[in-house]
Amino acid sequence: MKGFKDFIMRGNLIELAVAFIIATAFAAVVKSFTDLLIALIGKIFTQPNFDTYRPGGVPVGPFLTALVAFLIMAAVVYFFVVKPYEAFKARYAHKEEDAAPDEEVVLLREIRDALTRRI
């Protein structure tokens, strides 16, 4: 039972559960935004529902709907998740590099330098 408790309380599992919950909520927001944009695009092209679009009897509509939905979702994820994350990472990555190295690293460098002087 202790092993199971350790597994459940492991930090990665909790982080994954939180990420899954947030991703599910974010997916609902992105889907509703995508539906809104698809409806607007449909109004612009006087075709309120792409699914019924069948030029020459070929059911192209569902593919167009899926393609537009994918492009909108990819754009939302890129501009609202990836770009802000990259900016955040770039801003705070330099601060970590500027921090003083650990004592162990300094000691290892001194040992390396002493060994290279002996040779």
Short mmCIF file of all heavy atoms in Angstrom, two decimals, residues 29-77:
data_model
loop_
_atom_site.label_atom_id
_atom_site.label_comp_id
_atom_site.label_asym_id
_atom_site.label_seq_id
_atom_site.Cartn_x
_atom_site.Cartn_y
_atom_site.Cartn_z
N VAL A 29 -12.68 26.09 -24.68
CA VAL A 29 -12.61 27.49 -25.10
C VAL A 29 -12.19 27.59 -26.56
O VAL A 29 -12.79 28.32 -27.36
CB VAL A 29 -11.63 28.28 -24.19
CG1 VAL A 29 -11.37 29.66 -24.74
CG2 VAL A 29 -12.16 28.35 -22.78
N VAL A 30 -11.17 26.84 -26.94
CA VAL A 30 -10.69 26.88 -28.32
C VAL A 30 -11.76 26.36 -29.27
O VAL A 30 -11.97 26.91 -30.35
CB VAL A 30 -9.38 26.07 -28.47
CG1 VAL A 30 -8.99 25.91 -29.91
CG2 VAL A 30 -8.27 26.74 -27.69
N LYS A 31 -12.48 25.31 -28.88
CA LYS A 31 -13.53 24.77 -29.75
C LYS A 31 -14.65 25.79 -29.95
O LYS A 31 -15.12 25.98 -31.07
CB LYS A 31 -14.10 23.49 -29.17
CG LYS A 31 -15.24 22.94 -30.03
CD LYS A 31 -15.47 21.50 -29.84
CE LYS A 31 -16.60 20.93 -30.64
NZ LYS A 31 -17.02 21.61 -31.81
N SER A 32 -15.07 26.46 -28.89
CA SER A 32 -16.14 27.45 -29.05
C SER A 32 -15.66 28.63 -29.90
O SER A 32 -16.41 29.16 -30.72
CB SER A 32 -16.65 27.93 -27.70
OG SER A 32 -15.65 28.62 -27.00
N PHE A 33 -14.40 29.04 -29.73
CA PHE A 33 -13.84 30.10 -30.56
C PHE A 33 -13.77 29.67 -32.02
O PHE A 33 -14.10 30.43 -32.93
CB PHE A 33 -12.45 30.47 -30.03
CG PHE A 33 -11.78 31.57 -30.81
CD1 PHE A 33 -12.22 32.87 -30.68
CD2 PHE A 33 -10.72 31.30 -31.64
CE1 PHE A 33 -11.61 33.90 -31.38
CE2 PHE A 33 -10.11 32.31 -32.36
CZ PHE A 33 -10.55 33.63 -32.22
N THR A 34 -13.38 28.41 -32.25
CA THR A 34 -13.32 27.87 -33.61
C THR A 34 -14.70 27.83 -34.23
O THR A 34 -14.88 28.21 -35.40
CB THR A 34 -12.70 26.46 -33.58
OG1 THR A 34 -11.41 26.55 -33.00
CG2 THR A 34 -12.60 25.87 -34.96
N ASP A 35 -15.70 27.37 -33.49
CA ASP A 35 -17.07 27.35 -34.00
C ASP A 35 -17.55 28.75 -34.37
O ASP A 35 -18.22 28.94 -35.39
CB ASP A 35 -18.02 26.72 -32.98
CG ASP A 35 -17.75 25.24 -32.77
OD1 ASP A 35 -17.09 24.63 -33.64
OD2 ASP A 35 -18.19 24.70 -31.74
N LEU A 36 -17.20 29.73 -33.54
CA LEU A 36 -17.56 31.11 -33.82
C LEU A 36 -16.92 31.60 -35.12
O LEU A 36 -17.60 32.16 -35.99
CB LEU A 36 -17.14 32.01 -32.66
CG LEU A 36 -17.30 33.51 -32.88
CD1 LEU A 36 -18.76 33.89 -32.75
CD2 LEU A 36 -16.45 34.26 -31.90
N LEU A 37 -15.62 31.34 -35.28
CA LEU A 37 -14.95 31.78 -36.51
C LEU A 37 -15.45 31.04 -37.74
O LEU A 37 -15.59 31.65 -38.81
CB LEU A 37 -13.44 31.60 -36.37
CG LEU A 37 -12.74 32.63 -35.48
CD1 LEU A 37 -11.25 32.35 -35.44
CD2 LEU A 37 -12.99 34.03 -35.96
N ILE A 38 -15.75 29.77 -37.62
CA ILE A 38 -16.29 29.02 -38.76
C ILE A 38 -17.65 29.58 -39.16
O ILE A 38 -17.95 29.72 -40.35
CB ILE A 38 -16.35 27.52 -38.45
CG1 ILE A 38 -14.95 26.93 -38.47
CG2 ILE A 38 -17.25 26.78 -39.43
CD1 ILE A 38 -14.86 25.48 -38.10
N ALA A 39 -18.46 29.92 -38.18
CA ALA A 39 -19.77 30.51 -38.48
C ALA A 39 -19.61 31.86 -39.18
O ALA A 39 -20.32 32.16 -40.15
CB ALA A 39 -20.58 30.67 -37.20
N LEU A 40 -18.64 32.66 -38.72
CA LEU A 40 -18.39 33.95 -39.36
C LEU A 40 -17.88 33.78 -40.79
O LEU A 40 -18.31 34.48 -41.71
CB LEU A 40 -17.39 34.77 -38.55
CG LEU A 40 -17.90 35.32 -37.22
CD1 LEU A 40 -16.77 36.00 -36.46
CD2 LEU A 40 -19.04 36.30 -37.46
N ILE A 41 -16.98 32.83 -40.99
CA ILE A 41 -16.48 32.55 -42.35
C ILE A 41 -17.61 32.07 -43.23
O ILE A 41 -17.72 32.45 -44.40
CB ILE A 41 -15.32 31.52 -42.30
CG1 ILE A 41 -14.10 32.15 -41.63
CG2 ILE A 41 -14.96 31.03 -43.69
CD1 ILE A 41 -13.00 31.17 -41.32
N GLY A 42 -18.47 31.23 -42.67
CA GLY A 42 -19.63 30.75 -43.43
C GLY A 42 -20.56 31.88 -43.83
O GLY A 42 -21.10 31.90 -44.94
N LYS A 43 -20.75 32.86 -42.95
CA LYS A 43 -21.60 34.02 -43.27
C LYS A 43 -20.97 34.87 -44.38
O LYS A 43 -21.66 35.36 -45.26
CB LYS A 43 -21.83 34.88 -42.04
CG LYS A 43 -22.61 34.21 -40.96
CD LYS A 43 -24.07 34.38 -41.20
CE LYS A 43 -24.79 33.78 -39.98
NZ LYS A 43 -26.14 33.46 -40.27
N ILE A 44 -19.66 35.02 -44.32
CA ILE A 44 -18.96 35.83 -45.33
C ILE A 44 -19.12 35.21 -46.71
O ILE A 44 -19.36 35.91 -47.69
CB ILE A 44 -17.47 35.98 -44.96
CG1 ILE A 44 -17.32 36.85 -43.73
CG2 ILE A 44 -16.67 36.56 -46.13
CD1 ILE A 44 -15.92 36.88 -43.15
N PHE A 45 -19.00 33.90 -46.79
CA PHE A 45 -19.10 33.21 -48.08
C PHE A 45 -20.51 32.72 -48.37
O PHE A 45 -20.70 31.88 -49.25
CB PHE A 45 -18.10 32.05 -48.15
CG PHE A 45 -16.67 32.51 -48.14
CD1 PHE A 45 -15.88 32.36 -47.01
CD2 PHE A 45 -16.13 33.10 -49.26
CE1 PHE A 45 -14.57 32.79 -47.01
CE2 PHE A 45 -14.81 33.53 -49.27
CZ PHE A 45 -14.04 33.38 -48.14
N THR A 46 -21.48 33.21 -47.65
CA THR A 46 -22.91 32.86 -47.79
C THR A 46 -23.15 31.36 -47.74
O THR A 46 -24.07 30.85 -48.37
CB THR A 46 -23.50 33.46 -49.08
OG1 THR A 46 -22.86 32.84 -50.21
CG2 THR A 46 -23.35 34.96 -49.13
N GLN A 47 -22.33 30.66 -47.05
CA GLN A 47 -22.49 29.21 -46.87
C GLN A 47 -22.43 28.96 -45.37
O GLN A 47 -21.36 28.73 -44.82
CB GLN A 47 -21.37 28.45 -47.60
CG GLN A 47 -21.48 26.95 -47.54
CD GLN A 47 -22.57 26.42 -48.46
OE1 GLN A 47 -22.96 27.07 -49.40
NE2 GLN A 47 -23.05 25.25 -48.16
N PRO A 48 -23.55 29.05 -44.65
CA PRO A 48 -23.50 28.97 -43.19
C PRO A 48 -23.03 27.63 -42.65
O PRO A 48 -22.62 27.55 -41.51
CB PRO A 48 -24.95 29.26 -42.77
CG PRO A 48 -25.76 28.99 -43.97
CD PRO A 48 -24.89 29.22 -45.16
N ASN A 49 -23.07 26.59 -43.46
CA ASN A 49 -22.62 25.28 -43.00
C ASN A 49 -21.79 24.64 -44.11
O ASN A 49 -22.31 24.27 -45.16
CB ASN A 49 -23.83 24.40 -42.66
CG ASN A 49 -23.42 23.10 -42.03
OD1 ASN A 49 -22.23 22.78 -41.93
ND2 ASN A 49 -24.40 22.33 -41.59
N PHE A 50 -20.50 24.51 -43.87
CA PHE A 50 -19.62 23.92 -44.88
C PHE A 50 -19.95 22.45 -45.14
O PHE A 50 -19.63 21.93 -46.20
CB PHE A 50 -18.16 24.00 -44.45
CG PHE A 50 -17.60 25.39 -44.45
CD1 PHE A 50 -16.98 25.89 -43.33
CD2 PHE A 50 -17.68 26.19 -45.57
CE1 PHE A 50 -16.45 27.17 -43.33
CE2 PHE A 50 -17.16 27.47 -45.59
CZ PHE A 50 -16.53 27.95 -44.46
N ASP A 51 -20.54 21.78 -44.19
CA ASP A 51 -20.80 20.34 -44.33
C ASP A 51 -21.74 20.03 -45.49
O ASP A 51 -21.70 18.93 -46.03
CB ASP A 51 -21.38 19.78 -43.03
CG ASP A 51 -20.35 19.75 -41.91
OD1 ASP A 51 -19.14 19.80 -42.22
OD2 ASP A 51 -20.76 19.69 -40.74
N THR A 52 -22.56 20.97 -45.88
CA THR A 52 -23.49 20.73 -46.98
C THR A 52 -22.90 21.11 -48.34
O THR A 52 -23.55 20.94 -49.36
CB THR A 52 -24.79 21.52 -46.76
OG1 THR A 52 -24.48 22.91 -46.70
CG2 THR A 52 -25.47 21.08 -45.48
N TYR A 53 -21.68 21.61 -48.36
CA TYR A 53 -21.04 22.03 -49.61
C TYR A 53 -20.59 20.80 -50.39
O TYR A 53 -19.77 20.02 -49.93
CB TYR A 53 -19.85 22.95 -49.28
CG TYR A 53 -19.16 23.52 -50.49
CD1 TYR A 53 -19.84 24.33 -51.39
CD2 TYR A 53 -17.83 23.23 -50.73
CE1 TYR A 53 -19.20 24.86 -52.49
CE2 TYR A 53 -17.18 23.75 -51.83
CZ TYR A 53 -17.88 24.57 -52.71
OH TYR A 53 -17.23 25.08 -53.81
N ARG A 54 -21.17 20.62 -51.60
CA ARG A 54 -20.88 19.43 -52.42
C ARG A 54 -20.74 19.85 -53.89
O ARG A 54 -21.65 19.65 -54.68
CB ARG A 54 -22.01 18.42 -52.29
CG ARG A 54 -22.26 17.96 -50.88
CD ARG A 54 -23.30 16.94 -50.88
NE ARG A 54 -22.66 15.71 -51.33
CZ ARG A 54 -22.94 14.51 -50.89
NH1 ARG A 54 -23.90 14.37 -50.05
NH2 ARG A 54 -22.30 13.48 -51.33
N PRO A 55 -19.61 20.42 -54.27
CA PRO A 55 -19.45 20.79 -55.68
C PRO A 55 -19.32 19.53 -56.54
O PRO A 55 -18.48 18.68 -56.29
CB PRO A 55 -18.16 21.62 -55.69
CG PRO A 55 -17.39 21.15 -54.51
CD PRO A 55 -18.42 20.75 -53.49
N GLY A 56 -20.18 19.42 -57.54
CA GLY A 56 -20.16 18.25 -58.42
C GLY A 56 -20.55 16.96 -57.73
O GLY A 56 -20.19 15.88 -58.18
N GLY A 57 -21.24 17.05 -56.60
CA GLY A 57 -21.67 15.85 -55.88
C GLY A 57 -20.60 15.26 -54.97
O GLY A 57 -20.82 14.24 -54.33
N VAL A 58 -19.43 15.88 -54.91
CA VAL A 58 -18.33 15.38 -54.06
C VAL A 58 -18.46 16.05 -52.69
O VAL A 58 -18.48 17.27 -52.59
CB VAL A 58 -16.96 15.71 -54.69
CG1 VAL A 58 -15.83 15.22 -53.80
CG2 VAL A 58 -16.85 15.12 -56.09
N PRO A 59 -18.52 15.25 -51.62
CA PRO A 59 -18.70 15.83 -50.28
C PRO A 59 -17.41 16.46 -49.75
O PRO A 59 -16.70 15.90 -48.92
CB PRO A 59 -19.13 14.64 -49.43
CG PRO A 59 -18.54 13.47 -50.11
CD PRO A 59 -18.52 13.79 -51.58
N VAL A 60 -17.11 17.66 -50.21
CA VAL A 60 -15.90 18.38 -49.82
C VAL A 60 -16.13 19.14 -48.52
O VAL A 60 -15.18 19.44 -47.79
CB VAL A 60 -15.48 19.35 -50.95
CG1 VAL A 60 -14.26 20.15 -50.58
CG2 VAL A 60 -15.24 18.58 -52.23
N GLY A 61 -17.36 19.45 -48.20
CA GLY A 61 -17.70 20.27 -47.04
C GLY A 61 -17.14 19.81 -45.72
O GLY A 61 -16.52 20.60 -45.00
N PRO A 62 -17.31 18.53 -45.34
CA PRO A 62 -16.76 18.10 -44.05
C PRO A 62 -15.23 18.25 -43.97
O PRO A 62 -14.69 18.61 -42.93
CB PRO A 62 -17.17 16.63 -43.96
CG PRO A 62 -18.40 16.53 -44.79
CD PRO A 62 -18.18 17.51 -45.92
N PHE A 63 -14.56 18.01 -45.10
CA PHE A 63 -13.10 18.19 -45.12
C PHE A 63 -12.75 19.66 -44.92
O PHE A 63 -11.83 19.99 -44.16
CB PHE A 63 -12.50 17.68 -46.43
CG PHE A 63 -11.05 18.02 -46.58
CD1 PHE A 63 -10.10 17.36 -45.83
CD2 PHE A 63 -10.65 19.02 -47.45
CE1 PHE A 63 -8.76 17.68 -45.95
CE2 PHE A 63 -9.32 19.36 -47.57
CZ PHE A 63 -8.37 18.69 -46.82
N LEU A 64 -13.46 20.56 -45.59
CA LEU A 64 -13.20 21.99 -45.44
C LEU A 64 -13.44 22.44 -44.00
O LEU A 64 -12.66 23.22 -43.44
CB LEU A 64 -14.06 22.81 -46.40
CG LEU A 64 -13.70 22.73 -47.88
CD1 LEU A 64 -14.69 23.52 -48.71
CD2 LEU A 64 -12.28 23.22 -48.10
N THR A 65 -14.51 21.95 -43.41
CA THR A 65 -14.80 22.30 -42.02
C THR A 65 -13.68 21.82 -41.10
O THR A 65 -13.21 22.57 -40.24
CB THR A 65 -16.14 21.67 -41.58
OG1 THR A 65 -17.17 22.16 -42.43
CG2 THR A 65 -16.47 22.02 -40.14
N ALA A 66 -13.23 20.58 -41.29
CA ALA A 66 -12.16 20.04 -40.46
C ALA A 66 -10.85 20.79 -40.68
O ALA A 66 -10.11 21.08 -39.73
CB ALA A 66 -11.97 18.56 -40.74
N LEU A 67 -10.56 21.15 -41.93
CA LEU A 67 -9.33 21.86 -42.24
C LEU A 67 -9.33 23.26 -41.62
O LEU A 67 -8.35 23.67 -40.98
CB LEU A 67 -9.15 21.97 -43.76
CG LEU A 67 -7.91 22.72 -44.23
CD1 LEU A 67 -6.66 21.97 -43.82
CD2 LEU A 67 -7.96 22.90 -45.74
N VAL A 68 -10.42 23.98 -41.77
CA VAL A 68 -10.51 25.33 -41.19
C VAL A 68 -10.45 25.24 -39.67
O VAL A 68 -9.77 26.04 -39.02
CB VAL A 68 -11.79 26.05 -41.67
CG1 VAL A 68 -12.03 27.33 -40.90
CG2 VAL A 68 -11.71 26.33 -43.16
N ALA A 69 -11.13 24.28 -39.09
CA ALA A 69 -11.10 24.12 -37.63
C ALA A 69 -9.69 23.82 -37.14
O ALA A 69 -9.23 24.38 -36.13
CB ALA A 69 -12.06 23.01 -37.20
N PHE A 70 -8.97 22.96 -37.86
CA PHE A 70 -7.59 22.64 -37.48
C PHE A 70 -6.71 23.88 -37.56
O PHE A 70 -5.92 24.15 -36.65
CB PHE A 70 -7.03 21.54 -38.39
CG PHE A 70 -5.56 21.35 -38.20
CD1 PHE A 70 -5.07 20.67 -37.10
CD2 PHE A 70 -4.65 21.86 -39.13
CE1 PHE A 70 -3.70 20.51 -36.91
CE2 PHE A 70 -3.30 21.70 -38.95
CZ PHE A 70 -2.82 21.02 -37.84
N LEU A 71 -6.82 24.63 -38.64
CA LEU A 71 -5.98 25.83 -38.79
C LEU A 71 -6.28 26.87 -37.71
O LEU A 71 -5.36 27.48 -37.16
CB LEU A 71 -6.17 26.43 -40.18
CG LEU A 71 -5.63 25.59 -41.34
CD1 LEU A 71 -6.01 26.22 -42.67
CD2 LEU A 71 -4.14 25.42 -41.22
N ILE A 72 -7.54 27.03 -37.37
CA ILE A 72 -7.89 27.98 -36.32
C ILE A 72 -7.36 27.51 -34.97
O ILE A 72 -6.77 28.28 -34.21
CB ILE A 72 -9.42 28.20 -36.27
CG1 ILE A 72 -9.88 28.92 -37.53
CG2 ILE A 72 -9.82 28.98 -35.02
CD1 ILE A 72 -11.38 28.96 -37.71
N MET A 73 -7.53 26.23 -34.67
CA MET A 73 -7.03 25.70 -33.40
C MET A 73 -5.51 25.80 -33.32
O MET A 73 -4.97 26.16 -32.28
CB MET A 73 -7.48 24.25 -33.21
CG MET A 73 -8.91 24.12 -32.84
SD MET A 73 -9.29 22.40 -32.48
CE MET A 73 -11.05 22.44 -32.48
N ALA A 74 -4.83 25.48 -34.42
CA ALA A 74 -3.37 25.58 -34.43
C ALA A 74 -2.93 27.02 -34.20
O ALA A 74 -1.97 27.27 -33.46
CB ALA A 74 -2.82 25.05 -35.74
N ALA A 75 -3.61 27.97 -34.82
CA ALA A 75 -3.27 29.38 -34.64
C ALA A 75 -3.51 29.82 -33.20
O ALA A 75 -2.68 30.53 -32.61
CB ALA A 75 -4.06 30.25 -35.61
N VAL A 76 -4.63 29.42 -32.63
CA VAL A 76 -4.93 29.79 -31.24
C VAL A 76 -3.87 29.22 -30.30
O VAL A 76 -3.34 29.93 -29.44
CB VAL A 76 -6.34 29.32 -30.83
CG1 VAL A 76 -6.55 29.41 -29.33
CG2 VAL A 76 -7.40 30.14 -31.56
N VAL A 77 -3.53 27.96 -30.46
CA VAL A 77 -2.53 27.34 -29.60
C VAL A 77 -1.17 28.02 -29.79
O VAL A 77 -0.47 28.31 -28.82
CB VAL A 77 -2.44 25.83 -29.86
CG1 VAL A 77 -1.22 25.21 -29.19
CG2 VAL A 77 -3.70 25.14 -29.38
#
